[in-house]
Amino acid sequence: MDAEPALRAPGPRRALRPRQRLGKYQIERRIAEGSFADVYRALDTVEGVRVALKIPQSHLVDAVLLDAFRREVRLAAKLDHPNVLPLKNAQFVDGRFVVAYPLGQGTLGDRLRHRIAPARRAVYAAQMIDAVAHAHARGVVHCDLKPENFILFDGDRLRLTDFGISKVSRRTIPVSGSGTVGYVAPEQAMGRTSLRSDVFSLGLVLWELFSRELPEWPFRWPWAGYDRLEREAHPAFVALLRRAMAVDPADRFSDARAMSFAFHRLVARGQVLPPRPAPRRRPRRKVPTDWRRLRQRQFVRLYGGALQLRGECGRCHGPVSEAMHACPWCGHAPARYRGETAQPERCGRCGRGRRPDWRYCAHCFGPGFRRVSGHRFSDHSYTERCSNPQCERRTLPPFASYCPWCRRRVRRFAVPGAGHRCARCGRGVHAEFWAFCPWCAKDQRRAAPVRRR
């Protein structure tokens, strides 16, 4: 570590270059540029962590600026709070005064450019108020509260930083009108700063956080963004902000501690975010009295997944599957299937879905497809077997009437839960539920189905 160097005459401004070494720090890039100092992202080669280095600009370094930086370091060292940026190190390195801080993800000002959920805004507000209240409890007036001075870390944690123009409170502090234009209190702009000035600036930041607009002087009511704030905050919280942003300092909170007490009282009462509307009471579902609907609902609970009952009959609105050629409830047999399909393409003849590598439709005896993919698609649902020994695939999709590769007719296939077979096509039917065979449309009420052996 270098000793404090002798002051030299200010020279031209020279920024540090990437990969430049500064003691144990290796500069990576500049992340912020201020009026008196720049902030760099650097690698601490000893600890192996990345840090933020605040370094006075070389062409402005003089005794007054160095005294201001020493004061900032001493004030930051007095504060120990989860929402205040801690000081890692401060020393002269290679003739430069270097202040090292933990490296955050960005500033609140950067975060305000994106949408923030209401609950997260309330969390940010609590952390900012607590940070300023801690500083006021130690007698420190920040004097430059703005979104860019709140650093965001992992876990949505905000930390207050940049105590460069902070002062130790002695009721009212005669200082120059320092601060950031747009966020300073009226009396601070005229050179009379106090703890109430920080309360005003904090109220402005919170107003911008919730309304996404920053009020401007002369602060006539209603301020910019009030309509949106009414929708996004509770009336009690809006009243708290109005008191914090009162033009007359005597009408504000005495300091951020009093403001923190009032804010956490609103949190306990649930009066920060707007009240949630009463949940709409859903109308009580009427239990269908039609015995057919009851049987269909019972069937869907038992076999809806196994039979892939995704469609609906166009006549009786009963549940059907894509592979069925007729409605098992009313016998309606449309020429084309118009329901949902899980396949990427449709057959031009029957309207049912098909895979790109099928040569023929698995559900109708239509002509071969013109466009057939050369890629062989695998499907774990292919549980049936083709009876043609010359077939190239031998596996069939469930409930297929024809082999999609050799076009051989499938005589039988397994129907989950079916205890009978149709007397015409020999395929499984649920005689206790179905009035018609869904595979050949035969009326099951007139002919006794063949029981499965």
Side-chain angles (χ1 to χ4, degrees):
M1 179 178 69
D2 294 350
E4 181 174 344
L7 293 179
R8 295 173 295 181
R13 177 172 183 174
R14 294 179 181 177
L16 299 178
R17 301 183 305 274
R19 304 187 65 83
Q20 180 177 344
R21 293 295 293 265
L22 197 63
K24 66 174 183 175
Y25 303 111
Q26 183 176 3
I27 303 299
E28 295 185 346
R29 61 185 176 90
R30 183 167 59 184
I31 58 178
E33 181 179 349
S35 302
F36 303 101
D38 295 331
V39 181
Y40 295 87
R41 169 175 166 169
L43 174 66
D44 187 329
T45 57
V46 176
E47 299 181 13
V49 297
R50 285 177 171 80
V51 297
L53 300 183
K54 186 174 182 179
I55 304 175
Q57 296 173 7
S58 57
H59 69 295
L60 298 177
V61 173
D62 56 14
V64 176
L65 184 62
L66 286 180
D67 287 342
F69 269 82
R70 290 192 191 95
R71 183 170 60 251
E72 176 181 357
V73 169
R74 290 163 185 164
L75 288 178
K78 291 175 56 177
L79 305 178
D80 183 13
H81 190 270
N83 298 119
V84 175
L85 188 66
L87 178 69
K88 287 181 64 70
N89 193 14
Q91 61 183 18
F92 283 92
V93 181
D94 296 341
R96 296 176 181 267
F97 188 66
V98 179
V99 185
Y101 295 99
L103 181 66
Q105 298 175 339
T107 68
L108 180 62
D110 301 329
R111 187 67 180 86
L112 287 177
R113 299 191 184 101
H114 307 279
R115 184 182 180 278
I116 305 177
R120 185 167 296 175
R121 289 200 293 264
V123 172
Y124 288 167
Q127 296 183 45
M128 288 189 287
I129 294 175
D130 289 346
V132 181
H134 176 76
H136 286 188
R138 301 300 186 275
V140 176
V141 187
H142 190 279
C143 301
D144 193 19
L145 294 176
K146 58 182 178 179
E148 286 71 21
N149 284 340
F150 288 95
I151 309 300
L152 186 61
F153 286 81
D154 290 336
D156 283 334
R157 181 179 296 277
L158 286 178
R159 289 179 171 176
L160 177 62
T161 186
D162 199 355
F163 291 85
I165 58 175
S166 301
K167 303 290 181 180
V168 177
S169 174
R170 296 183 182 89
R171 294 189 178 179
T172 303
I173 307 163
V175 296
S176 63
S178 56
T180 301
V181 176
Y183 294 95
V184 295
E187 72 278 3
Q188 182 178 347
M190 294 184 291
R192 302 293 294 176
T193 304
S194 67
L195 296 172
R196 297 175 189 263
S197 305
D198 274 356
V199 172
F200 185 90
S201 300
L202 182 58
L204 280 174
V205 176
L206 293 176
W207 185 280
E208 183 179 8
L209 175 65
F210 280 82
S211 71
R212 306 175 204 171
E213 293 191 45
L214 181 63
E216 298 179 354
W217 176 262
F219 303 112
R220 292 192 180 96
W221 186 261
W223 297 316
Y226 174 71
D227 294 338
R228 178 174 292 175
L229 186 68
E230 265 192 325
R231 299 191 302 268
E232 309 234 353
H234 194 279
F237 180 63
V238 177
L240 180 142
L241 293 183
R242 288 196 63 180
R243 180 180 175 187
M245 298 167 59
V247 177
D248 187 352
D251 295 334
R252 303 175 202 153
F253 295 100
S254 58
D255 56 20
R257 291 176 297 178
M259 184 177 177
S260 175
F261 177 79
F263 175 80
H264 286 288
R265 185 166 51 189
L266 296 183
V267 172
R269 297 174 180 175
Q271 295 179 343
V272 175
L273 299 179
R276 293 183 178 180
R280 296 180 60 183
R281 190 171 183 179
R282 294 183 178 180
R284 189 173 181 180
R285 294 184 60 184
K286 296 182 179 180
V287 179
T289 56
D290 187 357
W291 65 271
R292 296 181 182 84
R293 297 298 180 199
L294 292 175
R295 288 175 64 82
Q296 290 173 3
R297 290 175 57 186
Q298 182 183 6
F299 183 78
V300 170
R301 285 196 298 267
L302 293 175
Y303 306 107
L307 293 177
Q308 303 176 7
L309 301 177
R310 302 188 185 96
E312 183 180 274
C313 175
R315 177 185 293 175
C316 71
H317 305 291
V320 296
S321 72
E322 181 180 0
M324 292 179 178
H325 294 268
C327 175
W329 314 102
C330 68
H332 177 57
R336 287 180 59 85
Y337 174 75
R338 302 185 184 278
E340 296 182 4
T341 177
Q343 306 299 343
E345 299 180 15
R346 285 183 182 267
C347 172
R349 184 171 182 263
C350 67
R352 291 174 174 82
R354 75 176 186 92
R355 298 296 292 269
D357 59 335
W358 289 0
R359 296 180 180 176
Y360 304 95
C361 179
H363 305 288
C364 71
F365 198 72
F369 300 118
R370 294 182 180 180
R371 293 185 303 173
V372 178
S373 173
H375 177 73
R376 182 170 178 172
F377 293 89
S378 61
D379 197 326
H380 297 292
S381 66
Y382 289 2
T383 57
E384 304 294 334
R385 299 284 295 177
C386 178
S387 60
N388 183 8
Q390 304 298 326
C391 182
E392 59 176 314
R393 293 289 293 269
R394 295 296 302 274
T395 56
L396 301 176
F399 316 119
S401 298
Y402 300 91
C403 176
W405 290 281
C406 69
R407 212 184 186 189
R408 173 166 289 194
R409 183 176 179 81
V410 179
R411 298 297 177 183
R412 292 185 179 182
F413 49 74
V415 179
H420 299 79
R421 290 188 181 275
C422 175
R424 177 188 294 173
C425 65
R427 294 170 181 167
V429 294
H430 288 270
E432 63 275 21
F433 289 98
W434 292 344
F436 297 86
C437 174
W439 322 113
C440 67
K442 180 176 177 57
D443 192 343
Q444 300 297 308
R445 299 168 297 181
R446 299 179 182 178
V450 179
R451 182 174 294 277
R452 181 187 293 274
R453 294 183 180 179

